[in-house]
Amino acid sequence: MGFSGFDIAIVVLVFLVIILLFKGIKTVPQGYNYTVERFGRYTKSLTPGLNIINPIFERVGAKMNMMEQVLDVPTQEIITRDNAIVAVDGVAFYQVLNAAQAAYQVAGLENAILNLTMTNIRTVMGSMDLDELLSNRDAINERLLRVVDEAAHPWGIKITRVEIKDINPPANLIESMGRQMMAERNKRAQILDAEGLKQSQILEAEGRKEAAFRDAEARERSAEAEARATQVVSEAIAKGDVQALNYFVALKYTEALTRIGSATNSKVVLMPMEASSLIGTLGGIGEIAREVFRSEGTAGAARQTARPPVVRPGEN
C-alpha cells in the first residue's frame, strides 16, 4: 500500500513541528540571562530555567553572565602631581544587573570597563603626591570605586570593587626614600637623646637646689641653736651663775680637742697647759651634776615623807 501525497505532507508537517518545538525550548543555566530578539530587535530576557520562544520570528541574542566577575587591570605608568613616575596595576570586580543594557548599551563590555578603570586610575592618582599614593591606598580605592561605578551605571552593571594591587616607584626614587627615612629616624633619635639629656640636667639641678636648700636650713637651725645657747649662757652670767660659763667654755674646748684629734694628718697631739684647768672644769661640772641630783633626791624623799598614809579597807 503506497502513501499518498497528503500522508507525506502530514509526516513532513509533524516533523517540522517537532523541530520547531526543540528549537523553541531554551534552557538557561543558573547565573546567566539570555536576550531575545524579534527581527533583530530586543524583546525580552530569559531567566535561568526552561523557557519557550517562537523559533520562527525570535532568536537568542546575547548570553550575559550575571555573576560577579573579576577584571585584571594591567600595569601602567602614572605621573604624580610632584612629577614622580610610578608603575601601578590593579583589579576590578563588576556584576551585570541588566542584561539588555549590558548587551546593547556598550560594545565590548569588558574592554569598556578596563579602559574606563585605567583612565580613572591615571586621573585620580595623577592628582596626588607620591607620599599620598603610598599612604592613602584605601582612600584611592574608595574614590576609584565611586567614579568608575557612576560612569558604568548606564551600561547596566555594578562595579563592586576596585583595588590597587601594586605601586612601584623607580629604583632611584626608592633609594632616595630609604635615605630620607633613615635621616628622619636619626633625627628623631637625636631629639629623644637631647630630651633625655635635658630632663637629666633638670633633675640634677633640682637635686642640687634641694640639697643646697636643706644645707642652708641645717646651717640656719644650727646657728639658731648656737645663738640660743649663747643667750642662755649670757643670761646665766648676768644672774651671777659662773658655773654655766665654765660649762660653756669646757664644752667648746672639748669640741676643739675632738676636731684636733680626729684630723687624719695629726699623729701626736700636744696638750696645752690649760688642759689641767679643763679637767678641773670638767670635775666642777661633775660636782655640779652630783649636787643637782642629790638635791633632787632629797626633795623627792621629803615629798615621799610628807605624803599622807594610805588606809586600806579593813584596817583601823
Side-chain angles (χ1 to χ4, degrees), residues 73-90 114-134 137 140-141 144 162-170 173:
V73 180
T75 303
Q76 59 178 332
E77 290 187 349
I78 296 174
I79 301 177
T80 62
R81 187 171 57 185
D82 53 352
N83 296 325
I85 301 177
V86 295
V88 180
D89 62 350
L114 180 61
N115 283 275
L116 179 63
T117 304
M118 294 178 65
T119 303
N120 282 278
I121 286 177
R122 287 195 298 269
T123 302
V124 172
M125 301 183 70
S127 63
M128 305 174 68
D129 294 333
L130 179 60
D131 293 337
E132 294 177 336
L133 294 184
L134 299 177
R137 186 170 297 189
I140 296 173
N141 294 335
L144 283 173
V162 178
E163 296 286 344
I164 299 298
K165 291 194 297 183
D166 292 319
I167 301 176
N168 299 317
L173 186 57

Side-chain angles (χ1 to χ4, degrees), residues 47-280:
T47 58
L50 185 63
N51 297 270
I52 298 177
I53 63 173
N54 186 349
I56 300 176
F57 305 106
E58 296 178 341
R59 69 181 182 89
V60 174
K63 299 179 179 180
M64 303 303 301
N65 188 346
M66 307 299 290
M67 296 179 288
E68 187 172 2
Q69 303 176 65
V70 59
L71 185 62
D72 190 25
V73 180
T75 303
Q76 59 178 332
E77 290 187 349
I78 296 174
I79 301 177
T80 62
R81 187 171 57 185
D82 53 352
N83 296 325
I85 301 177
V86 295
V88 180
D89 62 350
V91 62
F93 294 85
Y94 71 96
Q95 184 177 12
V96 176
L97 301 180
N98 191 311
Q101 290 180 349
Y104 302 110
Q105 292 293 334
V106 60
L109 180 61
E110 290 190 357
N111 186 47
I113 297 174
L114 180 61
N115 283 275
L116 179 63
T117 304
M118 294 178 65
T119 303
N120 282 278
I121 286 177
R122 287 195 298 269
T123 302
V124 172
M125 301 183 70
S127 63
M128 305 174 68
D129 294 333
L130 179 60
D131 293 337
E132 294 177 336
L133 294 184
L134 299 177
S135 59
N136 297 325
R137 186 170 297 189
D138 292 339
I140 296 173
N141 294 335
E142 182 181 356
R143 184 176 175 184
L144 283 173
L145 175 62
R146 183 175 65 253
V147 173
V148 176
D149 181 59
E150 183 178 356
H153 181 71
W155 301 340
I157 63 175
K158 171 68 175 176
I159 306 297
T160 58
R161 185 180 297 271
V162 178
E163 296 286 344
I164 299 298
K165 291 194 297 183
D166 292 319
I167 301 176
N168 299 317
N172 56 351
L173 186 57
I174 295 176
E175 183 179 356
S176 300
M177 292 172 59
R179 290 197 300 268
Q180 179 183 0
M181 181 180 61
M182 184 62 65
E184 186 67 24
R185 289 184 178 179
N186 292 334
K187 176 183 176 181
R188 289 199 297 265
Q190 292 175 358
I191 292 175
L192 291 177
D193 292 340
E195 288 290 339
L197 180 60
K198 176 183 176 181
Q199 293 295 330
S200 175
Q201 292 177 350
I202 291 175
L203 293 177
E204 185 178 356
E206 290 289 341
R208 290 197 301 269
K209 177 182 176 182
E210 184 68 20
F213 175 76
R214 293 186 180 274
D215 290 342
E217 186 178 5
R219 289 195 298 271
E220 181 182 358
R221 292 188 178 182
S222 177
E224 290 178 355
E226 187 72 19
R228 178 61 180 167
T230 304
Q231 181 182 0
V232 172
V233 172
S234 300
E235 291 176 356
I237 294 173
K239 294 178 182 179
D241 191 357
V242 183
Q243 293 179 351
L245 178 60
N246 293 335
Y247 172 75
F248 185 73
V249 173
L251 180 62
K252 293 299 182 181
Y253 208 101
T254 303
E255 292 177 355
L257 289 178
T258 301
R259 288 194 295 270
I260 293 172
S262 61
T264 57
N265 57 352
S266 60
K267 303 300 181 181
V268 179
V269 180
L270 300 178
M271 299 297 293
M273 294 297 296
E274 290 79 1
S276 59
S277 60
L278 173 62
I279 297 173

